[in-house]
Amino acid sequence: MSIFLQKQDDYYVPNMAGYVLLVVIILALLVVGAALSGRGKRFTAKQIAFSGVAIALGTVTSMIKLFEFPMGGAMTLFSMLFVTLVGYWYGTRMGITAAVAYGLLQLILGPYIINPVQPIVDYILAFGALGLSGVFSKSKNGLVKGYILGVIGRYFFAFLSGVIFFSSSAAEYGFTGFFGPALYSLVYNGIYIGAEAAITLVLLAIKPVRNAMASVKVMANS
């Protein structure tokens, strides 16, 4: 791990080689995504541009944290919504590609690493699951349905990470016994993910907001 990571307190952060590796992975992801698109409809410059804006907005709003937990995880200002927009606009393939890229950016900007496998679950799989919003890209009320599915996907992997990698913290918060780590992870991750999802769904319930989102989708695909 010392090749790409350096220890900081009780966790690890990337060193210079680690940051270079992450940038290379992001670039490779974009190249692979473009190559895979050759089997079907290709990603257009407009799709890439709109996706880039959504990722940028998601990254900026992820830094506006309404509250944050010490072991990672924070309620942000609608950051998950911006990431799920890509899937809502362009479908699952583009949505997952953009969401994984967003997750890697989160790993670069705010890493919390305790072993080599944990960041794959916490950053690539958890954030990448937000791209599942594309499943409902062509459905009625597709943004709301897609957002809920994406959030559930992220919550699942965050829960899994909590059980596997952070179970030792369960007893500190009073979650003991065989099911203690699972209950701890359900509550811990459910608070910040659920709170952000709740206020986002309230926002999307406002008709002018829904109309504005529908108009943006038309622009993204025109």
Side-chain angles (χ1 to χ4, degrees):
M1 293 180 68
S2 60
I3 299 176
F4 299 109
L5 301 172
Q6 58 188 9
K7 192 162 186 178
Q8 179 174 305
D9 297 327
D10 59 343
Y11 61 97
Y12 294 85
V13 297
N15 54 24
M16 182 58 68
Y19 282 119
V20 170
L21 176 63
L22 288 171
V23 171
V24 169
I25 291 174
I26 291 175
L27 293 174
L29 175 67
L30 295 175
V31 171
V32 170
L36 290 176
S37 68
R39 299 180 181 179
K41 185 178 179 181
R42 290 184 177 276
F43 295 162
T44 67
K46 188 171 187 177
Q47 288 176 330
I48 294 173
F50 267 79
S51 299
V53 171
I55 292 172
L57 289 172
T59 301
V60 170
T61 53
S62 73
M63 298 176 185
I64 305 174
K65 299 176 180 179
L66 304 182
F67 67 80
E68 183 176 12
F69 284 151
M71 297 295 292
M75 177 184 175
T76 68
L77 191 64
F78 308 116
S79 63
M80 292 191 293
L81 173 61
F82 289 110
V83 180
T84 58
L85 283 176
V86 180
Y88 170 61
W89 293 336
Y90 304 123
T92 307
R93 184 178 59 194
M94 188 69 164
I96 291 178
T97 300
V100 171
Y102 170 82
L104 290 170
L105 282 174
Q106 291 297 307
L107 180 57
I108 291 174
L109 295 172
Y112 191 95
I113 303 169
I114 59 173
N115 68 52
V117 180
Q118 171 257 330
I120 296 175
V121 181
D122 273 339
Y123 294 92
I124 296 177
L125 296 179
F127 286 116
L130 293 173
L132 294 173
S133 59
V135 170
F136 296 104
S137 63
K138 297 181 180 180
S139 301
K140 183 179 180 180
N141 298 318
L143 178 55
V144 172
K145 294 177 182 177
Y147 179 80
I148 292 173
L149 180 60
V151 169
I152 290 174
R154 183 191 172 189
Y155 181 44
F156 170 78
F157 287 110
F159 162 76
L160 195 64
S161 174
V163 173
I164 297 174
F165 305 111
F166 298 98
S167 59
S168 59
S169 300
E172 299 178 17
Y173 294 90
F175 293 92
T176 58
F178 181 78
F179 295 105
L183 291 173
Y184 162 73
S185 187
L186 278 173
V187 174
Y188 185 100
N189 293 291
I191 290 175
Y192 69 90
I193 294 177
E196 181 175 337
I199 63 170
T200 302
L201 290 173
V202 169
L203 177 70
L204 294 177
I206 301 172
K207 187 174 181 179
V209 174
R210 293 200 309 271
N211 293 340
M213 291 295 183
S215 297
V216 173
K217 182 174 183 177
V218 172
M219 292 172 56
N221 287 279
S222 61

